[in-house]
Amino acid sequence: MKIILALVAVLAVAASSPSLPAAQSKVLCYYDSKSYVRESQARMLPLDLDPALSFCTHLVYGYAGIQPDTYKAISLNENLDIDRNHANYRAITNNKSKYPGLKVLLSIGGDADKEEEQKYNSLLESPQARTAFVNSAVLLAEQHGFDGIDLAWQFPRIKPKKIRSSFGSFWHGIKKTFGTTPVDDKESEHREGYTALVRELKAALNLKPNMQLAITVLPNVNSTIYFDVPAIINLVDIVNIHAFDYYTAARNPKEADYSAPTYKPQNRNDLLNVDSAVNYWLTSGAPSNKIVVGIATYGRTWKLDSDSEISGVPPLHANEAGEAGPYTKTEGILSYPEICAKLINPNHQKGMRPHLRKVTDPSKRFDVGLTKDGDFFGTYAFRLPDDSGEGGLWVSYEDPDTAGQKATYAKSKALGGVSIVDLSMDDFRGLCTGDKYPILRAAKYRL
Ligand SMILES: *[C@@H]1O[C@H](CO)[C@@H](O)[C@H](O)[C@H]1NC(C)=O
Ligand SMILES: *[C@@H]1O[C@H](CO)[C@@H](O)[C@H](O)[C@H]1NC(C)=O
């Protein structure tokens, strides 16, 4: 009896210890293996993960794919992931020995799998295809020491907003373009097929010891259409909502806007913000602690031209995607360290190209807790074009402050935590201020 009482006392102390809730919050760190083949300072090797791992509860290895004809789950880069020279799957899962609490998940899809993308739909329509996928995915994960699978399913996307044709019809255009044409004429079949897939994958994972099942809702996938929350929520351990990339140059090159607002900025679509995406899952009955909010570590860029409003305040007229960064080499995207290198900074040499002026989130002016009226739209930075109309740039991005705000948001709604998407676009070398992984750290600190 005494022993039991003592135990109860110990447990009670442990339960009330302030560090405990923080320890339970999830920090999912996405590792995009493509970063292995980037050049110079953007090339990320497994050992570059070391400074991050103590902040992560999960490492999500992106991305495996699907073989179109067999529907089997496969590595998209066997030379890197599996072959003996690199054996990157193993190199990464072996890190668990230093961090015994770390779960390493193999993520499938994630928009990295570009060959015959239609297979993500047709697989859901066929029980045989699902079986082939489930068996091969579990085997692939198990053989390389993963602790589970993350399904980052490449569903059809919400149609992008129509490019505005003239200034006058701008707001009118927005109202008309959403929800008119369905992007998928077999919506309900795909929803049911996905529910079956989750059920079958869970059953197969259950036959193995301690295998987790996570799902990732990719940007601009309409959860209402594809995720039957009551049917799947008890089968999954984590729902990662990648609530960003709502506004990008690929979706609308003519209009720059906050790419991942936490709440709805005035006169925007009601549904294209973090809070709305999260609320769909909560109101459909998902336990809040299974939901994780994604924080992008890269910015979305547009070129401004002489027609762009000089205030820089979004939404504003833009010309096209901003030019690719020196390391990430993708139009319309800059990693956090690529952005911070462009910001006005007293240490920068005179005579360099004009720098970007940073405009911090308006909510920072009000030093208050989170309310529904808070802004929390994000940070942006810009420079206007020169006299010849060249060189204008506008970028919407997360900095450590806004990443911290998103973690605070997650905490205020008692969510499971946050995910960092991805580690390779955070400042993993500490080039901005000397701190490595500033976005990851800021988010972790506020959970
Ligand atoms: C993680 O694995 C990589 C590759 O094997 C290794 O270089 C690194 O030191 C490991 N880190 C830890 C903390 O075990
Ligand atoms: C998502 O789908 C629902 C149901 O069809 C629809 O009402 C909603 O407008 C869609 N959301 C967006 C952002 O298109």
Side-chain angles (χ1 to χ4, degrees):
M1 186 62 188
K2 259 188 195 153
I3 292 172
I4 290 174
L5 278 179
L7 246 176
V8 167
V10 166
L11 287 175
V13 169
S16 65
S17 125
S19 67
L20 215 68
Q24 287 167 336
S25 292
K26 297 177 187 67
V27 180
L28 271 74
C29 295
Y30 280 71
Y31 162 71
D32 186 347
S33 61
K34 263 194 312 215
S35 57
Y36 202 103
V37 295
R38 291 199 186 112
E39 285 164 32
S40 81
Q41 44 175 265
R43 180 166 197 221
M44 182 162 155
L45 301 178
L47 61 93
D48 293 314
L49 291 170
D50 286 359
L53 292 180
S54 59
F55 301 104
C56 308
T57 57
H58 295 71
L59 189 66
V60 185
Y61 190 120
Y63 289 95
I66 298 172
Q67 200 170 50
D69 43 348
T70 63
Y71 292 108
K72 285 188 175 161
I74 48 163
S75 155
L76 292 174
N77 185 349
E78 288 202 359
N79 176 33
L80 171 67
D81 294 332
I82 294 177
D83 291 352
R84 248 193 305 155
N85 283 347
H86 296 104
N88 209 35
Y89 279 170
R90 241 329 145 181
I92 300 285
T93 56
N94 278 347
N95 279 157
K96 283 184 292 182
S97 56
K98 273 244 184 81
Y99 298 95
L102 184 71
K103 299 276 177 217
V104 187
L105 307 180
L106 179 62
S107 187
I108 298 172
D111 285 335
D113 185 7
K114 293 299 179 196
E115 196 190 347
E116 296 181 41
E117 284 195 74
Q118 178 59 29
K119 68 197 171 193
Y120 281 85
N121 288 336
S122 51
L123 187 152
L124 299 178
E125 297 162 16
S126 152
Q128 294 77 20
R130 291 199 306 262
T131 303
F133 173 77
V134 165
N135 292 339
S136 55
V138 173
L139 191 65
L140 189 64
E142 194 188 21
Q143 277 178 335
H144 298 96
F146 289 97
D147 300 297
I149 290 174
D150 171 51
L151 284 183
W153 208 254
Q154 294 177 197
F155 283 115
R157 300 311 146 94
I158 296 165
K159 241 177 76 153
K161 183 164 63 177
K162 182 174 68 183
I163 293 162
R164 65 173 166 176
S165 45
S166 74
F167 281 64
S169 62
F170 172 33
W171 297 121
H172 183 63
I174 287 182
K175 286 201 193 87
K176 267 175 52 180
T177 45
F178 279 101
T180 44
T181 342
V183 286
D184 177 2
D185 52 18
K186 289 191 193 165
E187 282 177 357
S188 55
E189 191 177 348
H190 294 146
R191 176 188 177 93
E192 282 164 28
Y194 182 76
T195 302
L197 178 68
V198 169
R199 196 186 304 119
E200 291 154 9
L201 184 53
K202 176 66 176 176
L205 288 170
N206 270 349
L207 300 175
K208 314 285 174 188
N210 303 319
M211 290 285 250
Q212 295 200 343
L213 177 55
I215 60 178
T216 292
V217 182
L218 290 177
N220 296 302
V221 166
N222 189 337
S223 289
T224 313
I225 294 175
Y226 295 110
F227 297 93
D228 182 349
V229 178
I232 62 174
I233 196 64
N234 293 326
L235 304 170
V236 302
D237 298 291
I238 302 170
V239 179
N240 300 293
I241 304 182
H242 283 188
F244 45 76
D245 288 351
Y246 290 118
Y247 300 92
T248 70
R251 293 174 67 76
N252 187 349
K254 294 295 174 192
E255 188 177 282
D257 206 347
Y258 293 115
S259 57
T262 302
Y263 295 106
K264 180 187 117 134
Q266 245 184 356
N267 297 324
R268 309 305 202 284
N269 183 290
D270 285 336
L271 300 172
L272 304 184
N273 58 75
V274 177
D275 191 50
S276 157
V278 167
N279 282 339
Y280 167 73
W281 286 84
L282 293 178
T283 56
S284 309
S288 61
N289 65 4
K290 284 196 176 180
I291 296 174
V292 161
V293 171
I295 299 173
T297 52
Y298 53 84
R300 287 292 182 175
T301 67
W302 287 259
K303 277 184 191 162
L304 300 181
D305 62 20
S306 42
D307 290 335
S308 306
E309 298 82 344
I310 60 166
S311 69
V313 176
L316 80 166
H317 167 85
N319 191 10
E320 57 181 329
E323 71 185 40
Y327 304 115
T328 52
K329 298 193 166 148
T330 312
E331 279 188 4
I333 285 184
L334 292 174
S335 67
Y336 180 64
E338 283 172 334
I339 295 164
C340 87
K342 289 180 186 291
L343 295 176
I344 292 170
N345 173 330
N347 299 328
H348 282 150
Q349 305 287 312
K350 281 213 176 88
M352 280 176 65
R353 284 172 50 190
H355 296 301
L356 298 177
R357 187 160 68 82
K358 172 176 169 177
V359 181
T360 51
D361 193 88
S363 59
K364 281 194 72 190
R365 275 187 274 126
F366 318 102
D367 193 16
V368 292
L370 274 157
T371 66
K372 260 249 172 267
D373 308 320
D375 292 305
F376 301 100
F377 302 151
T379 297
Y380 62 90
F382 70 106
R383 70 172 171 245
L384 295 171
D386 60 22
D387 293 342
S388 62
E390 296 297 312
L393 183 67
W394 195 92
V395 48
S396 169
Y397 67 105
E398 308 283 356
D399 62 12
D401 289 335
T402 60
Q405 284 170 5
K406 283 195 166 153
T408 303
Y409 164 85
K411 196 175 171 184
S412 74
K413 299 201 81 156
L415 303 183
V418 297
S419 62
I420 304 299
V421 192
D422 68 85
L423 293 177
S424 74
M425 300 255 198
D426 196 351
D427 183 14
F428 67 90
R429 294 194 192 280
L431 301 172
C432 298
T433 62
D435 282 338
K436 292 180 177 173
Y437 293 105
I439 294 184
L440 165 63
R441 280 164 191 260
K444 165 73 185 170
Y445 178 71
R446 299 284 284 276
L447 277 178

